[in-house]
Amino acid sequence: MYAWNRHRVSVVPRQLRVGLGLHLRTVSNMRASEIRKRYAEYFERTGHTQLPSANIVPQNDPTLLFTNAGMVPFKQYFLQPQTSPYKMITTAQKCVRAGGKHNDLDQVGYTPRHHTFFEMLGNFSFGAYDKQTVIRMAWKFVQEELQLPIDRLRVTVLESDHETYEIWRDQIKLDPKQIVRCGEEDNFWSMGNEGPCGPCTEIFWDTQDTRYAADDERRWLEFWNIVFMQFHRSSDGTLTPLSTPCVDTGMGLERIASIVQGKTNNFDTDEFQIIIRGVDQLQRSHAIRPLDAQVEVAYKRIVADHLRASAFLVSEGVHPSNTGRGYVLRRIIRRAVRAGRLLGIDGPVLPALYLSLEAAMGAAYPELIERRDSVIAVLQAEESAFAKTLDKGMSLLTKLFASNAAKVVSAEDTFALYDTHGFPVDLTQIIARDHGWTVDVDGFNAIQTQSRERNKASWKSGATRTQISDEISSKLAEWQTHGISTRFCGYEIDPEQASMEQHSRVVASSMLSNGDALIVVDPCPFYARGGGQEPDTGSLTVTASDCEAPRTLAVKHAVALPNGQAAALCVDAQHTELQVGQPVVAAIDMQRRNGCAVHHTATHLLHAALRQVMGDTVTQAGSLVRPDSLRFDFTSTALSDDQLREVERLVNRFALASTPVNVTHTTLEAAKEQGAMALFTEKYQADNVRMVRVSNVSVELCSGTHLRTTRGVFPFQITSEGSVGAGTRRIDAVAGVAASKWLQQQFAYAQNAAHILNAKQLSKLCDAVHRLNDTNKTLRSDAAKWLRVAAVNAQTVATHATTLGSVPTAIHILAPESSAPHTSDARLVAERACHLRDTQPQNAHVVIQDTHIALAVNPISFPDVQAGALLRE
């Protein structure tokens, strides 16, 4: 057997990071798109179902910021193989590793293989095939499709996995010298401390880097990992064989492309090079800034990588913000923009390169083309906002660099840059490093922690809520592993009916620490599927028995299991646990359900109206549907008052048409052919989607509850419209009964205002307001005149001459308010300072009265002096 000198590293060493001077012959002239295509077609021929990439934002998995591996969308199937609709699946999965536990952001650009966005080719089995089958398929693909020479390949196996070793040796006929046995730290994979796990085998490529001996791992590049999930690890570490073993494989597209194309660096492969050539062209159109060659290459790679990540994230509805995924996106965009600035690109960076990204990846991912305008708008807005932040932050840092001999940016300064000016701490570190400085990151983290604790303290019940939320999440995950499910019967309910009762039975129950119970009933009429709609509330009546009378328990809200197959009810159980099998009568709060249905249907009509008024580039970016209101986020420029009124008019016209709201189930492809719009932050099953149609108005994929006709949406009223982020607008609105109540309230406000202003009719209210405004203007003008007179005649009790900085300064002490009644006013002090500035321009003037102080400097006499800076002297 061949033994490796194991220097365990995940990337090629630093000497290889930029400009590696090795010659690797091109194995084939296969582009990344061809590898992606061949992989899918090959595994389809072997019986796998090809599925499109899942969203980068994981659905029903709150433990992850982003999909960071090919197997993430199938976690529930590895936990419950029998629930998978397909036994063999192949995908090319979009992945992001930036933020959270898996964070490659800071390494990108400086190493050959770190990326924020990458694609993972994978084939998966849920009980369909064994080790021998998957190894044979993988080896055949490597040999026949990629045509990689055997003498440059090695494989690793778990040292105790004799079966896999023998498959490679006896069936694949691989030379035992090319099979390396490794320990569990290298060749045993698990989903966590508890759950499915098993040994893995990996395929490596000889880079032929002559700096390393043939038995040195740094010479070898792993490109395919095959995991055999054959055990379940319990909390005490015990391994129990699974009744249905599964297989999970992963091969990074960028990595295998570098091998096939004979490159030592992923950034030298064809798709990256299309973008980098765009960076070169953009750089040449600006003033050339001299840079070290390796540094320049690194900055170009940062821009290329971050363009891919930011464009895909924005295309899936993630928008820059100061929290969560939005903050990670903001960091990626801003890191790219700074790299562009250092390359000499003073104008737009990512928006200007977007067509290069389309050329590289648009054929594989048409959403990049379909959503081009909205993505570019978000990128452009974020870059513009950051330009101001960057200039301000750089100005403050430049002053720090000139004033601190210790060459350390203090924790306080770092936090001020972050908290006050929105300057990311990692960017402060990068800039400081470029100037030979360091940043007190530990101190910054301590200050940030203190700030967070103060914020938490203001939310009095936060700790209790978090604890209960964790309990619910844990129990839902447990029930999912045990296959708890229920039939949802809530769609059949007419939301306008007065009441609804459903006879059900308890199929799962668990007490929470606050005395509530988490319960699953079957069938279940309570809606809890999300889509922006608030869940149902209501009651459960425990039917009478010989021993006790009926009890009615309040259902506080419904929550969905992670797989969406069941709704659990959070019930005020009065510290009494319900038993599995116990009959109950479930009753929904129909007034709440109807309010949600009204406002959910209204969001569809609003979306259609916005697209009519603002164009087809309007894309939904999120929504919140409540019983008494709606909130709708969308990508667009700001709407004028006339456009808002036109949107309102259209929605009310749609509503008054009393058009039926039809719901059908079809395939995703058929729905798209019918023009159905989908929220791209949602994940849909390819073979069964729910399509909500309002004829000649709207067709959308939606899981929410809706009215039977549009009539209930009338009246519709927009209550506010504004910006919530770069390129994203938000409309708040009310509809139906809630809108009637809102309009009645506004009418009452208007009546009260008319009464106060003595307007006999509401139609005269505006005239009365104009008269009041004119009177106020006259009074303010008169007051300003008298203030100037008072300032000129203000009594000075003392004057002192001094120098502030290099500026001759006169300090004037005004008589205190006790000796000059009714003259102690900050406005008077400021006006007196301005009077002295204009009449005695040769000095700066400080005026003080009681607790008020003002300083004024004549800008003609002292053009380079800032009054605020002088006052701090």
Side-chain angles (χ1 to χ4, degrees):
M1 186 191 70
Y2 189 82
W4 260 353
N5 176 15
R6 302 197 64 80
H7 299 276
R8 194 64 183 172
V9 293
S10 60
V11 297
V12 179
R14 186 168 184 83
Q15 293 91 327
L16 291 176
R17 291 180 181 175
V18 181
L20 180 61
L22 294 177
H23 173 71
L24 295 180
R25 72 176 180 86
T26 302
V27 176
S28 70
N29 193 28
M30 196 181 300
R31 294 175 299 177
S33 59
E34 179 66 17
I35 298 173
R36 190 189 293 114
K37 179 173 179 287
R38 286 198 183 194
Y39 188 92
E41 292 177 347
Y42 172 80
F43 281 100
E44 276 192 312
R45 291 197 301 270
T46 60
H48 291 70
T49 299
Q50 181 186 357
L51 296 182
S53 171
N55 287 345
I56 299 173
V57 176
Q59 303 299 300
N60 301 315
D61 190 347
T63 65
L64 293 174
L65 272 177
F66 304 111
T67 298
N68 55 32
M71 55 77 60
V72 167
F74 310 115
K75 284 172 66 173
Q76 67 190 58
Y77 300 150
F78 287 116
L79 293 167
Q80 293 178 267
Q82 69 277 9
T83 65
S84 175
Y86 312 102
K87 294 305 178 185
M88 297 189 293
I89 294 173
T90 183
T91 62
Q93 176 61 47
K94 298 177 291 186
C95 301
V96 166
R97 288 188 180 175
K101 179 180 177 182
H102 302 283
N103 183 10
D104 291 343
L105 181 60
D106 294 335
Q107 287 77 38
V108 171
Y110 300 99
T111 71
R113 314 198 190 281
H114 277 108
H115 304 293
T116 53
F117 172 90
F118 62 96
E119 295 178 77
M120 187 63 72
L121 306 177
N123 56 286
F124 311 93
S125 163
F126 306 101
Y129 47 70
D130 54 14
K131 292 181 179 181
Q132 175 182 325
T133 303
V134 68
I135 289 174
R136 283 185 175 276
M137 286 190 296
W139 193 249
K140 185 176 181 180
F141 182 79
V142 167
Q143 291 294 292
E144 297 184 7
E145 297 294 330
L146 301 182
Q147 300 180 2
L148 300 184
I150 295 178
D151 62 342
R152 293 183 62 177
L153 298 173
R154 298 287 186 272
V155 300
T156 62
V157 299
L158 182 66
E159 55 191 357
S160 60
D161 187 2
H162 304 298
E163 179 187 2
T164 300
Y165 179 86
E166 291 168 359
I167 291 172
W168 283 114
R169 184 193 64 190
D170 301 335
Q171 298 184 36
I172 303 301
K173 305 299 182 183
L174 196 61
D175 188 332
K177 293 181 179 180
Q178 295 175 270
I179 308 172
V180 182
R181 293 183 185 269
C182 300
E184 287 194 6
E185 69 276 9
D186 296 308
N187 280 75
F188 194 90
W189 190 92
S190 64
M191 291 177 66
N193 295 329
E194 187 175 356
C197 59
C200 65
T201 183
E202 299 168 320
I203 306 177
F204 285 76
W205 172 255
D206 184 0
T207 65
Q208 295 185 336
D209 184 349
T210 55
R211 292 175 303 163
Y212 303 109
D215 65 345
D216 193 319
E217 184 180 352
R218 288 173 292 184
R219 174 168 167 156
W220 296 85
L221 177 65
E222 176 213 336
F223 67 91
W224 204 339
N225 188 17
I226 304 170
V227 181
F228 311 115
M229 293 196 188
Q230 58 190 83
F231 301 108
H232 183 279
R233 174 180 280 158
S234 59
S235 56
D236 62 3
T238 303
L239 297 179
T240 305
L242 293 173
S243 58
T244 307
C246 300
V247 174
D248 159 30
T249 79
M251 177 166 60
L253 176 61
E254 294 80 5
R255 185 169 292 200
I256 191 61
S258 72
I259 292 173
V260 171
Q261 296 173 18
K263 308 298 183 181
T264 60
N265 193 304
N266 291 358
F267 291 99
D268 292 334
T269 57
D270 64 304
E271 287 188 347
F272 269 113
Q273 281 299 299
I274 292 173
I275 302 173
I276 290 174
R277 284 194 294 271
V279 178
D280 290 336
Q281 183 176 357
L282 183 60
Q283 185 188 24
R284 286 194 295 270
S285 68
H286 291 77
I288 299 298
R289 179 172 297 176
L291 288 171
D292 176 84
Q294 291 188 347
V295 172
E296 183 175 4
V297 168
Y299 288 157
K300 290 178 180 178
R301 290 171 177 173
I302 289 171
V303 172
D305 174 275
H306 291 6
L307 171 62
R308 297 189 346 153
S310 57
F312 276 104
L313 286 171
V314 174
S315 76
E316 291 194 4
V318 181
H319 287 73
S321 69
N322 289 327
T323 58
R325 298 181 180 99
Y327 180 63
V328 175
L329 172 60
R330 173 160 284 169
R331 289 183 62 196
I332 292 172
I333 294 174
R334 294 186 169 190
R335 193 167 185 261
V337 173
R338 180 177 181 271
R341 293 290 185 270
L342 293 173
L343 289 169
I345 304 171
D346 295 326
V349 179
L350 301 183
L353 293 168
Y354 194 84
L355 292 182
S356 296
L357 175 65
E358 279 191 17
M361 306 184 73
Y365 297 102
E367 63 266 28
L368 292 175
I369 300 172
E370 295 166 0
R371 301 166 190 165
R372 175 196 303 139
D373 293 341
S374 59
V375 173
I376 289 178
V378 172
L379 296 177
Q380 182 69 64
E382 179 64 16
E383 285 201 18
S384 298
F386 181 54
K388 300 174 184 177
T389 300
L390 185 62
D391 291 343
K392 181 67 174 176
M394 286 299 299
S395 174
L396 294 172
L397 282 172
T398 300
K399 292 179 180 178
L400 285 175
F401 295 150
S403 63
N404 188 337
K407 292 193 172 184
V408 177
V409 182
S410 70
E412 293 75 15
D413 287 332
T414 304
F415 186 76
L417 282 164
Y418 168 80
D419 190 55
T420 305
H421 303 289
F423 211 69
V425 65
D426 60 310
L427 191 55
T428 300
Q429 288 178 276
I430 292 170
I431 296 170
R433 183 179 63 203
D434 290 347
H435 286 76
W437 281 48
T438 59
V439 175
D440 183 4
V441 177
D442 292 339
F444 166 81
N445 290 334
I447 295 175
Q448 188 177 41
T449 299
Q450 294 170 6
S451 176
R452 287 172 176 168
E453 291 302 322
R454 288 193 297 270
N455 291 337
K456 286 181 181 178
S458 67
W459 186 27
K460 296 181 180 179
S461 61
T464 302
R465 294 178 185 175
T466 300
Q467 178 185 350
I468 298 302
S469 177
D470 290 345
E471 288 182 44
I472 292 175
S473 297
S474 176
K475 183 55 64 176
L476 292 180
E478 177 186 331
W479 284 345
Q480 179 179 317
T481 62
H482 291 90
I484 299 296
S485 63
T486 181
R487 293 165 291 161
F488 176 62
C489 59
Y491 285 141
E492 289 73 28
I493 302 169
D494 183 349
E496 297 186 61
Q497 68 188 62
S499 63
M500 189 290 310
E501 292 185 346
Q502 173 67 51
H503 292 271
S504 305
R505 287 186 178 275
V506 176
V507 296
S509 176
S510 178
M511 294 300 296
L512 302 175
S513 61
N514 65 350
D516 289 347
L518 194 65
I519 297 171
V520 177
V521 300
D522 184 48
C524 180
F526 289 87
Y527 178 85
R529 295 196 179 188
Q533 179 174 327
E534 288 193 349
D536 282 333
T537 61
S539 65
L540 288 181
T541 300
V542 183
T543 55
S545 65
D546 295 337
C547 302
E548 59 180 10
R551 287 183 299 137
T552 299
L553 309 176
V555 176
K556 294 182 175 181
H557 60 89
V559 292
L561 287 177
N563 61 9
Q565 298 302 309
L569 310 177
C570 189
V571 176
D572 182 1
Q574 303 163 15
H575 296 273
T576 302
E577 186 170 7
L578 275 70
Q579 302 301 314
V580 173
Q582 195 165 6
V584 294
V585 177
I588 293 175
D589 181 340
M590 291 305 297
Q591 183 175 353
R592 177 183 175 87
R593 165 67 77 89
N594 181 58
C596 286
V598 166
H599 287 95
H600 208 145
T601 301
T603 63
H604 288 217
L605 303 185
L606 172 60
H607 193 185
L610 283 167
R611 289 172 68 88
Q612 281 196 32
V613 173
M614 301 300 291
D616 291 342
T617 58
V618 168
T619 304
Q620 182 176 349
S623 66
L624 177 62
V625 175
R626 297 189 178 101
D628 56 357
S629 64
L630 69 87
R631 187 183 73 199
F632 190 79
D633 295 347
F634 57 100
T635 59
S636 174
T637 56
L639 281 74
S640 66
D641 289 342
D642 288 342
Q643 288 171 325
L644 281 174
R645 300 289 79 80
E646 177 62 12
V647 168
E648 276 184 346
R649 187 191 69 79
L650 284 172
V651 174
N652 281 303
R653 193 189 79 188
F654 297 153
L656 289 172
S658 298
T659 305
V661 180
N662 297 312
V663 176
T664 56
H665 290 264
T666 184
T667 65
L668 181 59
E669 190 62 33
K672 288 182 177 179
E673 290 176 357
Q674 296 179 56
M677 289 187 293
L679 182 60
F680 46 76
T681 55
E682 297 286 344
K683 177 64 178 175
Y684 303 95
Q685 294 182 0
D687 57 349
N688 184 21
V689 295
R690 186 170 182 264
M691 187 167 65
V692 178
R693 178 190 295 274
V694 179
S695 295
N696 301 318
V697 176
S698 168
V699 185
E700 295 194 28
L701 302 184
C702 180
S703 64
T705 61
H706 288 271
L707 297 172
R708 299 297 172 86
T709 74
T710 60
R711 184 65 179 81
V713 171
F714 184 83
F716 174 85
Q717 178 69 43
I718 293 174
T719 58
S720 70
E721 189 275 339
S723 172
V724 291
T728 306
R729 310 295 297 180
R730 170 172 294 172
I731 282 179
D732 291 287
V734 288
V737 173
S740 295
K741 292 180 179 179
W742 185 88
L743 290 168
Q744 289 173 345
Q745 187 180 54
Q746 304 309 305
F747 182 74
Y749 292 153
Q751 283 185 314
N752 288 337
H755 176 72
I756 292 170
L757 295 176
N758 199 29
K760 302 299 183 181
Q761 299 175 349
L762 285 182
S763 59
K764 304 296 184 181
L765 179 59
C766 287
D767 293 336
V769 171
H770 286 310
R771 286 195 300 272
L772 178 63
N773 189 44
D774 291 340
T775 300
N776 283 337
K777 285 181 180 179
T778 301
L779 292 174
R780 284 196 297 268
S781 178
D782 292 343
K785 292 176 183 177
W786 284 110
L787 183 64
R788 287 192 291 273
V789 171
V792 170
N793 296 285
Q795 180 182 358
T796 301
V797 297
T799 301
H800 305 283
T802 186
T803 300
L804 295 180
S806 59
V807 179
T809 304
I811 299 176
H812 310 269
I813 310 298
L814 300 186
E817 192 269 345
S818 58
S819 61
H822 311 299
T823 61
S824 181
D825 190 311
R827 292 172 297 175
L828 172 66
V829 173
E831 188 65 36
R832 176 64 177 177
C834 291
H835 168 72
L836 293 169
R837 175 200 64 195
D838 297 336
T839 58
Q840 301 175 34
Q842 70 277 12
N843 292 327
H845 296 275
V846 178
V847 178
I848 302 173
Q849 183 188 52
D850 297 333
T851 60
H852 305 301
I853 183 170
L855 181 146
V857 181
N858 191 295
I860 298 175
S861 301
F862 304 100
D864 298 324
V865 175
Q866 296 292 327
L870 189 63
L871 187 60
R872 287 192 290 271
E873 295 285 338

